[in-house]
Amino acid sequence: MSIQYEVEPLADSYGVADSFPKDFGYGEEEADIEDSPTPSDSKPRILLMGLRRSGKSSIQKVVFHKMSPNETLFLESTNKIYKDDISSSSFVNFQIWDFPGQVDFFDPTFDYEMIFRGTGALIFVIDAQDDYVEALGRLHLTVSRAYRVNPEINFEVFIHKVDGLSDDHKIETQRDIHQRANDDLADASLEKLHLSFYLTSIYDHSIFEAFSKVVQKLIPQLPTLENLLNIFISNSGIEKAFLFDVVSKIYIATDSSPVDMQSYELCCDMIDVVIDVSCIYGLKEDGSGSAYDKESMAIIKLNNTTVLYLKEVTKFLALVCILREESFERKGLIDYNFHCFRKAIHEVFEVGVSTPWTGSQAAGTPCTKAVTLNGTPRSTV
């Protein structure tokens, strides 16, 4: 389906993932598991950990299951481990394990070694509106245990619920948590353990951008995807390009230029608009069909000479670009370059399918697939 119209630019956009139809998703929402899950799972694993009521389950529901942030107020506390399969392509293909806040690492029935051994990323959520002294103690215990079992884990700290804080308070809270957490690691002689910190809230796009950065570290083809995007925009006169997972609205890759939050929000809003309009006008008379398919394409022209351009790449991936009107006059060239880009992505996709992820696989390992873009042969990326 093709959509083209003009709209006003959105200066302050805080759209959330609640506008998608509920059946437009990954499938099974969640499945509870025993405390000792089977070690046969070969997908990269993301652990969501933190104290009770810190917002772990709300993050998972908003990002991956299109729940409105207001609905999360009625979620019950998690009392057992939940496993959630997120599978839409070889790039977005992992498991999220949501842990209850009362997990006791010293409980002999808790096999933390087996769980940490197969983990790609550990996200520890800290409630920024609460006293976080106890949370910092649990953070230190958790990451030190996990690091000794599997030093390849990416350790991420979400300083969450910052929507209720002023800008100055946000910065001060992040600085304080960063300082205390790293001091605790230094005291334990764990200087090599690196923590990444993010300010997040489910009421704006910060949680989607933070999860984007986490997921990107689990994609071994990331350098190849970034290189393809750089080649595409440099040959097409495009200012910024994102490769989105359309269900979650996390971007699995972008070009090498810095990410501007407002640009990211505009692209997220465009995906919302495309899916909403497709659900109304893009389905067949009997209601069959898909809200997002190989014909999905949209052009939105803002009144500040900016053009937003969306094209389907795979069943769950979309390329969303930002460019100037004068650059869009060469639409034929852009479309041709996109065709070459899409073909290259599918080739990388095939390599990803044939190369299973292993727990010891280093994130960021480039794919050794030669690609061609704009008719110019490229050396192996």
Side-chain angles (χ1 to χ4, degrees):
M1 178 181 180
S2 175
I3 306 172
Q4 181 171 346
Y5 46 85
E6 298 187 7
V7 298
E8 297 287 331
L10 304 176
D12 295 302
S13 171
Y14 294 99
V16 293
D18 59 347
S19 61
F20 288 97
K22 293 297 183 182
D23 58 351
F24 186 72
Y26 299 106
E28 193 68 25
E29 182 167 322
E30 63 183 19
D32 58 336
I33 57 174
E34 300 299 326
D35 289 345
S36 297
T38 59
S40 59
D41 297 319
S42 59
K43 296 179 182 179
R45 186 182 304 154
I46 297 176
L47 306 185
L48 267 177
M49 311 187 88
L51 298 184
R52 291 173 60 89
R53 311 306 300 177
S54 58
K56 304 181 296 297
S57 299
S58 299
I59 291 172
Q60 179 194 3
K61 296 293 187 182
V62 168
V63 175
F64 295 103
H65 295 292
K66 305 175 291 296
M67 180 177 284
S68 166
N70 293 327
E71 292 180 58
T72 63
L73 298 173
F74 305 102
L75 288 177
E76 296 181 359
S77 294
T78 303
N79 54 18
K80 63 191 303 184
I81 302 174
Y82 283 92
K83 181 176 73 172
D84 194 5
D85 271 328
I86 307 298
S87 302
S88 64
S89 70
S90 64
F91 306 132
V92 182
N93 189 21
F94 52 87
Q95 296 175 333
I96 295 180
W97 289 13
D98 184 6
F99 281 74
Q102 66 272 19
V103 166
D104 182 8
F105 288 102
F106 297 102
D107 188 338
T109 64
F110 182 75
D111 190 358
Y112 65 87
E113 288 196 12
M114 183 277 295
I115 292 176
F116 291 146
R117 199 176 299 120
T119 295
L122 190 157
I123 299 174
F124 195 92
V125 182
I126 296 178
D127 185 349
Q129 298 186 27
D130 198 3
D131 183 7
Y132 45 78
V133 174
E134 182 183 355
L136 286 170
R138 180 66 66 89
L139 168 66
H140 178 74
L141 173 63
T142 303
V143 299
S144 58
R145 282 286 181 96
Y147 181 78
R148 291 186 175 95
V149 174
N150 180 7
E152 301 297 326
I153 293 177
N154 297 307
F155 295 100
E156 322 286 347
V157 180
F158 285 6
I159 304 171
H160 196 49
K161 301 182 183 179
V162 296
D163 48 276
L165 307 180
S166 66
D167 290 342
D168 290 342
H169 196 178
K170 289 179 187 178
I171 296 172
E172 178 60 27
T173 299
Q174 183 178 22
R175 186 202 62 77
D176 188 39
I177 291 176
H178 184 282
Q179 184 67 44
R180 293 192 188 192
N182 284 309
D183 286 347
D184 289 342
L185 293 177
D187 292 342
S189 300
L190 292 172
E191 293 89 349
K192 292 183 179 180
L193 196 162
H194 175 69
L195 299 175
S196 298
F197 297 86
Y198 308 86
L199 293 171
T200 61
S201 169
I202 59 173
Y203 290 96
D204 58 31
H205 288 86
S206 59
I207 189 62
F208 296 95
E209 185 179 23
F211 238 107
S212 298
K213 299 290 181 61
V214 173
V215 171
Q216 287 169 25
K217 295 179 182 179
L218 302 181
I219 301 175
Q221 301 92 350
L222 181 63
T224 303
L225 299 178
E226 291 180 347
N227 197 11
L228 286 172
L229 286 166
N230 285 331
I231 297 170
F232 172 70
I233 67 170
S234 64
N235 286 292
S236 305
I238 291 173
E239 295 186 357
K240 189 66 183 173
F242 296 92
L243 189 60
F244 271 95
D245 174 61
V246 294
V247 178
S248 64
K249 293 191 297 187
I250 62 176
Y251 65 95
I252 66 169
T254 186
D255 58 87
S256 56
S257 63
V259 175
D260 175 63
M261 195 62 181
Q262 188 179 32
S263 299
Y264 173 62
E265 291 172 0
L266 273 175
C267 293
C268 287
D269 290 337
M270 184 181 191
I271 293 174
D272 282 340
V273 169
V274 171
I275 298 300
D276 284 344
V277 174
S278 294
C279 287
I280 299 173
Y281 301 107
L283 303 181
K284 298 179 180 178
E285 291 185 2
D286 59 358
S288 62
S290 174
Y292 184 78
D293 56 30
K294 63 181 180 180
E295 301 297 328
S296 295
M297 187 270 286
I299 301 165
I300 297 179
K301 295 182 178 180
L302 308 181
N303 67 358
N304 61 353
T305 72
T306 300
V307 176
L308 305 179
Y309 181 58
L310 180 147
K311 291 272 282 186
E312 184 264 359
V313 177
T314 70
K315 182 180 179 181
F316 282 95
L317 297 181
L319 179 70
V320 185
C321 306
I322 300 175
L323 64 158
R324 293 294 171 190
E325 264 190 80
E326 55 267 26
S327 299
F328 196 69
E329 293 175 358
R330 300 180 297 167
K331 184 176 180 297
L333 174 64
I334 295 174
D335 288 342
Y336 173 76
N337 285 341
F338 172 78
H339 174 75
C340 297
F341 171 82
R342 187 175 186 272
K343 182 179 179 182
I345 289 292
H346 280 265
E347 291 179 4
V348 178
F349 178 91
E350 292 170 2
V351 173
V353 170
S354 62
T355 308
W357 186 91
T358 60
S360 60
Q361 183 176 353
T365 304
C367 167
T368 57
K369 189 75 174 179
V371 297
T372 304
L373 201 60
N374 197 22
T376 307
R378 300 285 175 179
S379 58
T380 302
V381 179

